[in-house]
Amino acid sequence: AAVAMRTKRIRIGFAVVEMALHHPVRLAVQTSVLDHLSNGRLIVGAGRGSAYNEYEYVGFGITLEQGKDMLIEAEELLVKAWSGEPVSHHGKYWTGEFPGLRPRPYQKPHPPLVRACISEASMVEMARIGRPVLIGVQPVDALRRRLMLYQDTMGEAGFLEPAVESALDQSWVQRAIVITDTDPEAMEVAEAALGRYQKHLIDARIKYNPGGKTYRDPNQPPPASEVLEHAFLAGTADTVGQKIAELKAAGVRNVMLNFNVGQIPADQVERTLRAFGEKVQPRFAD
């Protein structure tokens, strides 16, 4: 809400709301108000749940598996409430009847609802119903393949080109970012940050997950999110610009950038923000 009131043009949103931890009707009310405060600039990112952090759920009496199962019904009830029509819902997890939501969302029929997808199968599932996606860290070649598969699947499901283009225009790819004066310096900052981030996750899971589960198979290669070259856009402004151009050539239309992974020092975060805004972003203004 604070961001909405201090800006006029940028889109704002979530990446992502863990739907099992929010009552869908309350979420509908909150997001509808935010949509009005921002004059229709809200994007709602939704996800099945946490990446193995079961400790985030135990206080709510919910398991990770239940959280995953709750997503479809939560989104269904959210969209029903956004419609502004009287709602009668009798589901597995939520039951209720109430008159139309006030205020209805500013955007019609409602704000974009983007689903976070880690697996290729999840992306295909969303493509079949024409929903935009938020893709976690993947290698460039994998992104190219997945985006082509997403586009083809939407076409096979009967969506016409304008709908496919609209969905792709609303889909996002995730990366962390560090910009310094030299490539080696940026890689050093990024490597240390990624190491701190990974250590934090593992330590928290061992300490707080029931049974100390880490959900990590030592016999499997690490996911792309734990590989420096895939997780980070790191280097000089020129290098980062080239890496973003490579993503664009692979079919990526929006990049969700994380400027502070692993407690990067505040002065470096500010350096990256300024360098990106002044030297990188203008290259992609079209």
Side-chain angles (χ1 to χ4, degrees):
V3 172
M5 299 307 292
R6 293 178 64 88
T7 58
K8 294 184 181 299
R9 292 178 296 169
I10 63 170
R11 304 282 291 177
I12 60 176
F14 313 105
V16 296
V17 175
E18 296 181 31
M19 296 296 286
L21 307 185
H22 300 265
H23 194 293
V25 177
R26 178 172 291 279
L27 184 62
V29 173
Q30 294 171 327
T31 51
S32 183
V33 170
L34 279 174
D35 202 32
H36 279 271
L37 289 176
S38 64
N39 290 323
R41 292 182 284 127
L42 183 66
I43 300 170
V44 178
R48 290 185 184 277
S50 174
Y52 314 125
N53 299 333
E54 193 157 355
Y55 57 83
E56 296 179 344
Y57 283 69
V58 292
F60 294 90
I62 301 170
T63 67
L64 283 178
E65 289 306 312
Q66 286 174 319
K68 293 176 182 178
D69 188 43
M70 294 167 80
L71 174 63
I72 295 176
E73 184 182 340
E75 288 185 340
E76 178 187 348
L77 181 50
L78 174 67
V79 173
K80 279 183 182 179
W82 272 340
S83 74
E85 300 297 326
V87 172
S88 176
H89 183 87
H90 300 275
K92 180 178 179 180
Y93 295 103
W94 293 281
T95 297
E97 298 186 13
F98 57 92
L101 184 72
R102 293 184 300 171
R104 291 183 62 179
Y106 185 96
Q107 298 176 80
K108 299 296 183 286
H110 55 70
L113 184 58
V114 184
R115 173 81 68 85
C117 295
I118 295 176
S119 71
E120 189 172 288
S122 295
M123 276 193 64
V124 170
E125 179 185 345
M126 292 298 97
R128 291 195 180 111
I129 60 174
R131 280 273 301 280
V133 293
L134 198 164
I135 309 170
V137 175
Q138 294 292 330
V140 175
D141 287 344
L143 287 172
R144 181 182 293 106
R145 184 184 69 252
R146 288 191 180 196
L147 288 168
M148 286 296 298
L149 177 61
Y150 179 88
Q151 185 173 350
D152 292 344
T153 302
M154 278 195 71
E156 292 167 1
F159 290 95
L160 300 179
E161 185 176 355
V164 176
E165 290 295 308
S166 176
L168 289 169
D169 282 343
Q170 296 179 70
S171 293
W172 298 74
V173 166
Q174 181 183 1
R175 285 290 190 275
I177 183 171
V178 169
I179 301 175
T180 62
D181 293 333
T182 68
D183 288 345
E185 180 189 3
M187 293 299 287
E188 183 178 350
V189 172
E191 184 175 23
L194 187 59
R196 288 191 297 269
Y197 179 65
Q198 292 170 353
K199 183 178 186 302
H200 165 74
L201 288 179
I202 294 298
D203 288 350
R205 289 166 187 166
I206 291 173
K207 186 174 182 180
Y208 298 117
N209 273 349
K213 297 177 183 177
T214 63
Y215 296 93
R216 184 168 183 172
D217 186 346
N219 299 315
Q220 296 294 321
S225 60
E226 297 182 9
V227 178
L228 185 62
E229 64 179 288
H230 304 318
F232 269 86
L233 303 175
T236 65
D238 283 340
T239 297
V240 168
Q242 292 168 14
K243 291 182 178 182
I244 293 177
E246 185 181 12
L247 289 171
K248 185 176 181 181
V252 174
R253 304 194 183 183
N254 302 291
V255 186
M256 185 183 67
L257 296 173
N258 190 333
F259 287 80
N260 188 6
V261 171
Q263 297 178 317
I264 295 173
D267 60 339
Q268 176 58 61
V269 173
E270 184 172 343
R271 284 173 62 194
T272 298
L273 282 163
R274 290 188 180 279
F276 180 78
E278 295 171 0
K279 300 178 182 180
V280 180
Q281 192 172 9
R283 304 183 188 191
F284 304 94
D286 59 346

